[in-house]
Amino acid sequence: MTDVLWLTPTYPWPAEPIAGIFYRTQAQALVRAGLDLRVAAPTPYAPWPMPRLKEAWRNYANAPRTQQDGGLTIFRPRYPNVPGQPSWARPDRFVAAAAWRARRRWSGAKLIHGHTAVTGLAAWRLAGRAGVPFVVTFHGADMNSWPDEHPERRDDLQAALRAAAAVVTVSRPLAERVRDVTGVEAIALPLGCDHQALNAAALPRAEARRQLGLDPDRLIVLCVGFLTPRKGIREVADAVLKLGDPFTVVFVGKGPLAGYGLGPGETGDRLSYRGEQAHDEVVRYLCAADVLVLASHGEGLPTVLVEAGSVGTPVIASAVGGIPDLLGDDRGRIMAEVSAGSVEAALRAFQAGRPDAAAAAERLRRHVLEEYDVDRNAARLLAIYRSAAEVGPR
């Protein structure tokens, strides 16, 4: 019998090792704490010839229908999907129906936990059908921008959150946004990181650079994430190109801006695109870097910032989402705006004040070890589950 069913939009697998890695980290912590958890990651059907036309659809087609990850079972029921999941297509209805058809895999679940707006709406529908309470977690853009982009779904969103036994967000500003949009009070609970695993994977900087083939004498700026305009990729690349030696920016991730700033056939001493990497490799890049820069135009609470703090890498980031809370009290440098000029100024200040940056990184390390530990936060989530089960379905 399953205690809790999770509904997530994705979960890592070998061909997509990073997408949804924060789900995996928290789910594994809950399993360690003794929860009988199942994860449903409903995945669009990928009819021919879609897998031949686009990588995303190829991954949909190849994603395993069932996956075992340690003591955790993940299953991916298929549902019909309009490309881009436009709001008018009501994808949450199809997601909920797919999970319902697979109900033998989560028989007896006492609670459903939906992550993100669309999957949270699906959890609302599924929980109503199953007669169990449900919890919703928001992670960033799903609350910061989704309600504005899909105003016709605000009534559904408000109804779902009012019916939820609990609403959770990964940062305090995101909880305030939930209240402003829906009138529902949310619980701010960061996902946290597995600091023991990060410590085990960490390497001295010189060794990490040797293994990754990075020049030991360059000042390595690291960017990790999906390479899109929203992540400030152009601003970081333009800033480093203007700064020149000894700066090199290493981009870890994939996306439409991969290769931005490189000329034809150019490998680039200043811009290095390394593609998507497994999580242990991301940790190695964090250890090799002099500084992590995240110049996003919008975020919830990026896990990579917490991971950087855990391994002692200094951080420069934009003042969006939960970042000011994380980097407050001089635990990193916060940029007031996202522009190439702001990134350039922040990197010049970093270069001129390396001892101060190291001290800030140590303050961040102590802070994340105390406040952003996945096992401690999993214990808090279990308490939310127990309270939700007592409340029962609404």
Side-chain angles (χ1 to χ4, degrees), residues 147-237:
D148 297 332
E149 294 168 355
H150 305 284
E152 73 281 4
R153 301 305 309 276
R154 280 200 177 205
D155 287 346
D156 278 347
L157 188 63
Q158 186 178 65
L161 298 197
R162 286 179 174 176
V167 179
V168 180
T169 67
V170 299
S171 70
R172 181 185 53 79
L174 201 55
E176 294 171 355
R177 168 71 171 166
V178 168
R179 185 190 60 223
D180 293 343
V181 170
T182 69
V184 175
E185 295 293 334
I187 302 165
L189 178 63
L191 293 176
C193 287
D194 185 342
H195 297 296
Q196 290 186 355
L198 288 168
N199 184 62
L203 293 170
R205 180 174 296 164
E207 177 60 17
R209 290 193 179 193
R210 186 190 69 78
Q211 292 187 19
L212 294 170
L214 294 172
D215 190 329
D217 298 322
R218 304 289 291 182
L219 196 159
I220 302 295
V221 178
L222 179 65
C223 288
V224 178
F226 196 47
L227 306 184
T228 64
R230 182 178 176 82
K231 294 291 185 178
I233 303 304
R234 291 191 183 100
E235 288 86 345
V236 176

Side-chain angles (χ1 to χ4, degrees), residues 55-359:
E55 181 184 9
W57 287 88
R58 187 160 55 250
N59 287 335
Y60 293 154
N62 294 334
R65 290 182 177 269
T66 303
Q67 174 187 350
Q68 202 66 31
D69 186 13
L72 184 64
T73 299
I74 302 95
F75 58 98
R76 294 179 174 84
R78 265 47 178 186
Y79 68 94
N81 174 55
V82 178
Q85 294 199 144
S87 181
W88 56 261
R90 295 294 197 271
D92 46 295
R93 294 179 182 272
F94 296 114
V95 169
W100 179 255
R101 289 193 297 272
R103 59 190 178 277
R104 63 180 179 81
R105 295 185 176 274
W106 49 276
S107 173
K110 304 176 184 67
L111 183 141
I112 296 171
H113 187 168
H115 293 262
T116 75
V118 170
T119 320
L121 287 170
W124 169 47
R125 300 184 186 283
L126 186 63
R129 196 167 184 179
V132 299
F134 72 100
V135 173
V136 178
T137 291
F138 291 97
H139 292 266
D142 53 341
M143 176 52 66
N144 283 328
S145 58
W146 190 86
D148 297 332
E149 294 168 355
H150 305 284
E152 73 281 4
R153 301 305 309 276
R154 280 200 177 205
D155 287 346
D156 278 347
L157 188 63
Q158 186 178 65
L161 298 197
R162 286 179 174 176
V167 179
V168 180
T169 67
V170 299
S171 70
R172 181 185 53 79
L174 201 55
E176 294 171 355
R177 168 71 171 166
V178 168
R179 185 190 60 223
D180 293 343
V181 170
T182 69
V184 175
E185 295 293 334
I187 302 165
L189 178 63
L191 293 176
C193 287
D194 185 342
H195 297 296
Q196 290 186 355
L198 288 168
N199 184 62
L203 293 170
R205 180 174 296 164
E207 177 60 17
R209 290 193 179 193
R210 186 190 69 78
Q211 292 187 19
L212 294 170
L214 294 172
D215 190 329
D217 298 322
R218 304 289 291 182
L219 196 159
I220 302 295
V221 178
L222 179 65
C223 288
V224 178
F226 196 47
L227 306 184
T228 64
R230 182 178 176 82
K231 294 291 185 178
I233 303 304
R234 291 191 183 100
E235 288 86 345
V236 176
D238 289 345
V240 170
L241 287 173
K242 185 173 181 180
L243 284 165
D245 293 335
F247 290 89
T248 292
V249 58
V250 175
F251 293 100
V252 173
K254 63 182 182 179
L257 290 183
Y260 172 81
L262 294 178
E266 186 179 338
T267 57
D269 292 331
R270 295 177 185 169
L271 306 179
S272 178
Y273 290 88
R274 298 296 181 103
E276 190 174 43
Q277 302 289 331
H279 186 247
D280 282 354
E281 287 297 296
V282 173
V283 176
R284 193 175 304 181
Y285 278 99
L286 286 170
C287 294
D290 290 293
V291 60
L292 175 74
V293 175
L294 192 147
S296 289
H297 294 267
E299 288 285 353
L301 180 66
T303 304
V304 69
L305 297 189
V306 181
E307 292 179 336
S310 184
V311 301
T313 304
V315 171
I316 296 170
S318 49
V320 295
I323 293 173
D325 279 355
L326 178 66
L327 299 184
D329 296 329
D330 200 18
R331 292 188 286 264
R333 180 174 291 273
I334 303 172
M335 296 182 293
E337 65 174 13
V338 179
S339 67
S342 293
V343 176
E344 180 188 351
L347 287 173
R348 287 192 188 279
F350 170 80
Q351 184 183 26
R354 298 291 290 272
D356 291 340

